[in-house]
Amino acid sequence: MKFDILTLFPDLVDRILGESIIGRARTAGVIEVRTHQIRDFAGNKHNNVDDTPYGGGNGMVMAAPPIDRCFRAVLADLPENETRRVVYLSPKGKIFDQATAKRLAGYDRLILLCGHYEGVDQRAIDRFADEEISIGDYVLTGGELPACILVDAVSRLIDGVLASPECHEDESIASGLLEYPQYTRPPVWEGDEVPPILLSGDHAKIDAWRLERSLELTKERRPDLYDAYVAAHPPKPKKAKRARKTPADGGDED
Ligand SMILES: C[S@@+](CC[C@H](N)C(=O)[O-])C[C@H]1O[C@@H](n2cnc3c(N)ncnc32)[C@H](O)[C@@H]1O
C-alpha cells in the first residue's frame, strides 16, 4: 500500500507516521508514505499558496493552482496499472469508520489532500478528489492529523503491518462489538484482581466470558452496534429432541 500526502506541513506528517508500528512498517517497506510540500509548487517569488476568499469572510483559502501543480507532479510518475483513490480530508466529508478503512485498504495507492486555514478552493477539490472524508464532527486547523489517522487505520489492515492478521479482526468495531476488557501482569495490583477466569487456562470459558463482556459493554455504550450485531447473529434454533422409541416400535424402555 502506498500513500501520497499533499500538505503544507510534511514534517508534521512524517514525524507522526515515522514512529511505532507505522514507522516500522515504512522502514520495512510494507507500506510507503511520501509527503509532498504544496508550497514547492507555489509558482511565485513569495511562495504564497493562499489568498482571501471571494465574497468576503474570515481567513485564507488555499489556492487551486499550487495544488494543481503538486497533483500533476505526483500523478506524473505513478505506474499506470495500479488502483488509486484521491481523498480530500474535510469536515464536510463522509465520517470515517472501520468499513471505510477496509474499503480504502483495497486500493494500491491513496493520495490524500490536506487542507489548512479556511480550506481549499472548491475547484481543486472538484478536479482531483474522488471523495471527501471527515474524521469526526469537529473542526481541526488542518488535514494533517486526519490524514495520519486515515493512514494509520488503513495500514493496520495491510498484511505484514501487524504481527498477525487476528490482531485487528477481534478488536473493537472491527468485530462488530466493543472489545472485552484486557488485563496483564501482575495478577493482583493494589488489591484489584484480574478476573479469575482469565487465569484458568480454560480457553472455551475465557472466550465465552469475553463475548459476554463485549456484549454487555456494547449494549451499554453503543446500542446501535449492539442492535446490528444481534440482528446479524440471531440465536441458533434449539435442536428438537428426538422422540424416544418405545418397546412397541423396537426401542428400549428405562
Ligand atoms: C479549519 S478547517 C476548514 C474548515 C472549513 N472552513 C469548513 O467550515 O468546512 C482546515 C482544514 O482542516 C481539515 N479538517 C478540519 N477538520 C477536519 C475533520 N473533522 N476531518 C477531516 N479534515 C478536517 C480540512 O483539510 C480543512 O480543509
Side-chain angles (χ1 to χ4, degrees):
M1 165 62 80
K2 296 177 169 56
F3 300 93
D4 284 282
I5 304 177
L6 283 64
T7 168
L8 292 174
F9 299 92
D11 292 348
L12 171 60
V13 172
D14 271 325
R15 192 164 306 170
I16 293 171
L17 297 178
E19 298 281 338
S20 184
I21 295 169
I22 303 300
R24 286 199 294 276
R26 284 175 78 180
T27 307
V30 182
I31 60 167
E32 181 185 296
V33 180
R34 301 191 303 175
T35 51
H36 307 274
Q37 172 56 276
I38 296 170
R39 204 174 289 283
D40 291 346
F41 300 87
N44 56 67
K45 75 173 184 212
H46 296 296
N47 284 337
N48 284 339
V49 290
D50 54 354
D51 212 330
T52 52
Y54 277 124
N58 292 324
M60 303 293 270
V61 175
M62 286 171 66
I67 293 173
D68 175 69
R69 286 189 283 270
C70 187
F71 258 112
R72 285 178 198 284
V74 171
L75 294 171
D77 71 344
L78 299 185
E80 267 176 27
N81 58 347
E82 63 174 19
T83 57
R84 63 179 85 114
R85 191 91 174 148
V86 177
V87 175
Y88 170 50
L89 284 313
S90 161
K92 290 183 262 190
K94 183 175 172 281
I95 301 281
F96 189 55
D97 60 11
Q98 192 65 24
T100 308
K102 209 167 174 182
R103 173 172 62 80
L104 293 178
Y107 289 93
D108 297 326
R109 180 183 305 271
L110 297 177
I111 304 176
L112 309 179
L113 172 63
C114 305
H116 229 89
Y117 316 119
E118 277 310 308
V120 170
D121 187 310
Q122 188 62 40
R123 292 167 294 181
I125 300 168
D126 293 343
R127 182 164 304 180
F128 292 106
D130 296 311
E131 62 184 293
E132 296 186 34
I133 288 181
S134 165
I135 58 150
D137 283 340
Y138 40 82
V139 179
L140 301 165
T141 54
E144 287 71 20
L145 295 177
C148 290
I149 287 170
L150 189 150
V151 169
D152 189 303
V154 171
S155 297
R156 298 181 84 253
L157 303 176
I158 303 300
D159 279 352
V161 171
L162 298 183
S164 76
E166 299 86 58
C167 287
H168 59 73
E169 281 164 10
D170 67 349
E171 271 174 321
S172 292
I173 313 293
S175 67
L177 293 172
L178 302 184
E179 197 185 56
Y180 44 82
Q182 298 270 23
Y183 301 86
T184 186
R185 290 189 183 88
V188 182
W189 171 67
E190 296 186 356
D192 287 348
E193 283 182 24
V194 168
I197 187 83
L198 297 178
L199 310 179
S200 69
D202 184 333
H203 288 284
K205 281 192 181 152
I206 292 173
D207 286 350
W209 180 89
R210 285 177 164 171
L211 179 61
E212 231 173 276
R213 297 291 84 71
S214 275
L215 287 164
E216 264 173 23
L217 202 64
T218 311
K219 192 174 183 182
E220 178 194 316
R221 295 189 186 172
R222 292 292 303 273
D224 56 327
L225 291 181
Y226 179 80
D227 290 345
Y229 184 88
V230 170
H233 299 81
K236 288 189 186 123
K238 283 193 180 139
K239 278 187 192 158
K241 275 191 184 158
R242 270 200 298 170
R244 185 171 273 164
K245 286 183 177 176
T246 64
D249 52 36
D252 298 328
E253 206 176 20
D254 295 321

